[in-house]
DNA sequence: ACAGCCTATTGCGAATTGTCATTTCGACCG
DNA sequence: CGGTCGAAATGACAATTCGCAATAGGCTGT
């Protein structure tokens, strides 16, 4: 396991009123007045690829908004096998579970250099009681997480290895809005799809040979979206 | 597909104040006063085994509390494959998504004769804005649904067919609190675990032969819990 | 009791995936 | 530039799962 850049660094306190992605984050619905009530500042930090944001079992004290980057949430079974249950990106929220659980149920790891804003759980909890907008936004976040999880089950855990890989490629590319997708290691690919590293590797290599995807830069793939979609019907 | 008893019948209006499972349902936190504000009565109905409660794509108008029985939520892929993404029981809530989506994202089907209370979505929505208890309860429900979904991914969609079947048996028995579990068809078993009907059947038959489970009554299994747990370590 | 129907079980060959070892490739470092 | 390291790709073989077909078993209605 490569640990290059497995670091965390505090990069200052955020001014939410000036946030570049404010329209898309949890606090989107808050008004200027609400921000006045922030007594404690919101910490911002950067995590290098491979850095652990929190580990399963850690006391759940914060939620995090992803400003940029890519984060995986991993869950472990008693026998040691692990499975990536979510991939999260800019404007997504991680650690929602902290609102209910006292410990994080997953391990959160940065897959790319990632900027986060740290939101203390008590802060979000109290604010949600007094602010209907935030309440609705939270509900929407739960809903999104749940429908993603459902998708994980039906799309990434069902069918042949090729189908799973193709569905993931399409999902990644669609989420970006173009034909490209930043990919991660074959090991993580396997952990997302419930396949071994070797099967993940073979499947990717096969798709490359057949011309469905190309790799202009390392770990950046170009997808022939229409052809890939057609693969799923057959 | 057997459709015996695929029926729905209205069985009256509920008086939540006298509800036998009131301590465990969504409205657990409501006070006597709150119930006074119910203008419209809450409908109760019974669904026979195999009956559809709602279908994917239907306008999402209601949430349902399960008073008794067993319900599956199924999701479909464009190519026709389907996967059961949740199993729900007494005191569980189905159709939470109606609070956000305008259409149900799953098909809900009764696996056993099932009694439901129907809660109009507008009713829950407005009540949740004025009642902090209900709000918290809703949040807890989202959380529970999500952690169940995560479990579905790591436990029921990962590993060998035998491991998956064993994990499901243990889960069903633990949820009941004893060593028994009411099971359903092999087809549904496969759809929960992402396996074919045949593989599900073979695995169950094998576990029976090896003495890990017995079937005193049709579709009711007795599990040798300690031995089953040991199987998962090996 | 018998026919009809549906589900569960089982056999068997094919296809897929896992497992382990080896080779290739690319990045980084001295 | 050669050497080193880790990840990706690949080969070879084993194990698992699938897919299809046949059989067995249970329940229903006549």
């Amino acid at each position: 396991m490569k640990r290059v850049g497995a670091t965390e660094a505090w990069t200052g306190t955020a001014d939410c009123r000036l946030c570049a992605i404010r329209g898309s984050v949890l606090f989107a619905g808050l008004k200027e007045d609400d921000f006045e009530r922030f007594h404690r500042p919101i910490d911002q930090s950067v995590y290098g690829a491979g850095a652990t944001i929190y580990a399963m079992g850690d006391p759940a004290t914060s939620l995090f908004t992803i400003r940029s980057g890519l984060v995986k949430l991993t869950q472990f079974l008693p026998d040691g096998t692990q499975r990536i249950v979510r991939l999260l990106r800019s404007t997504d929220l991680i650690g929602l579970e902290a609102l209910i659980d006292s410990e994080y149920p997953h391990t959160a790891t940065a897959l790319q250099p990632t900027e986060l804003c740290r939101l203390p759980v008590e802060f979000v909890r109290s604010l949600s009681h007094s602010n209907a907008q935030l309440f609705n936004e939270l509900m929407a976040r739960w809903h999104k997480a749940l429908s993603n999880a459902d998708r994980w089950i039906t799309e990434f855990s069902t069918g042949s290895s090729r189908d799973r890989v193709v569905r993931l490629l399409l999902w990644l590319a669609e989420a970006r809005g173009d034909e490209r997708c930043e990919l991660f290691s074959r090991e993580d690919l396997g952990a997302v799809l419930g396949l071994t590293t070797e099967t993940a590797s073979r499947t990717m290599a096969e798709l490359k040979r057949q011309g469905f995807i190309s790799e202009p830069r390392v770990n950046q793939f170009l997808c022939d979206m229409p052809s890939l979609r057609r693969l799923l019907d057959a």
Side-chain angles (χ1 to χ4, degrees), chain A:
Chain A
M1 180 81 84
K2 205 179 181 183
R3 301 292 293 180
V4 172
T7 55
E8 183 204 340
W10 180 78
T11 59
T13 62
D15 185 339
C16 296
R17 281 167 293 198
L18 304 175
C19 175
I21 57 170
R22 179 173 157 197
S24 315
V25 299
L26 184 64
F27 293 152
L30 299 200
K31 299 180 196 63
E32 294 292 325
D33 290 357
D34 297 309
F35 288 105
E36 303 298 335
R37 301 172 52 220
F38 290 17
H39 298 307
R40 218 175 326 175
I42 304 256
D43 286 324
Q44 256 181 267
S45 19
V46 190
Y47 292 76
T52 300
I53 299 159
Y54 56 74
M56 189 163 140
D58 284 355
T61 59
S62 310
L63 290 72
F64 300 85
T65 291
I66 303 180
R67 297 180 55 79
S68 70
L70 183 64
V71 174
K72 68 172 173 182
L73 297 191
T74 311
Q75 207 163 55
F76 298 84
L77 284 172
D79 70 0
T81 51
Q82 66 183 78
R83 188 87 196 255
I84 297 176
V85 298
R86 242 159 282 161
L87 287 175
L88 302 159
R89 263 180 302 256
S90 182
T91 76
D92 286 333
L93 199 62
I94 61 175
L96 251 188
E97 295 84 357
L99 289 171
I100 311 262
D101 280 336
S102 56
E103 299 179 356
Y104 291 112
H106 315 105
T107 292
T109 312
L111 288 177
Q112 297 169 5
T114 295
E115 296 177 282
L116 298 178
C117 284
R118 187 175 156 284
L119 318 175
V121 58
E122 275 315 328
F123 171 62
V124 176
R125 200 179 278 146
S126 70
L127 210 55
S128 74
H129 285 305
S130 58
N131 187 295
Q133 279 268 25
L134 179 57
F135 169 63
N136 286 334
E137 185 64 29
L138 273 179
M139 188 96 86
R141 298 287 175 151
W142 282 111
H143 174 258
K144 189 179 170 190
L146 190 57
S147 64
N148 258 320
D150 288 340
R151 199 162 173 185
W152 220 264
I153 299 169
T154 48
E155 298 205 21
F156 303 149
S157 308
T158 309
S160 70
S161 62
R162 201 196 57 179
D163 286 359
R164 297 187 196 188
V165 170
V166 169
R167 289 196 203 103
L168 181 61
L169 289 171
L170 288 173
W171 182 68
L172 289 170
E174 277 162 13
R176 277 188 54 119
D178 57 20
E179 307 197 313
R180 276 174 298 165
C181 57
E182 296 284 345
L183 218 48
F184 23 85
S185 73
R186 300 292 175 261
E187 189 181 351
D188 283 335
L189 184 59
V192 168
L193 302 174
L195 304 170
T196 59
T197 308
E198 294 92 331
T199 300
S201 173
R202 270 186 257 266
T203 309
M204 286 295 289
E206 180 73 10
L207 286 173
K208 254 193 266 183
R209 258 175 253 127
Q210 296 173 331
F212 292 111
I213 57 177
S214 58
E215 191 176 2
R217 288 214 326 251
V218 262
N219 270 341
Q220 176 164 128
F221 294 85
L222 269 181
C223 306
D224 178 350
M225 313 277 284
S227 301
L228 286 176
R229 285 203 192 85
R230 229 169 298 126
L231 276 187
L232 293 180
D233 300 328

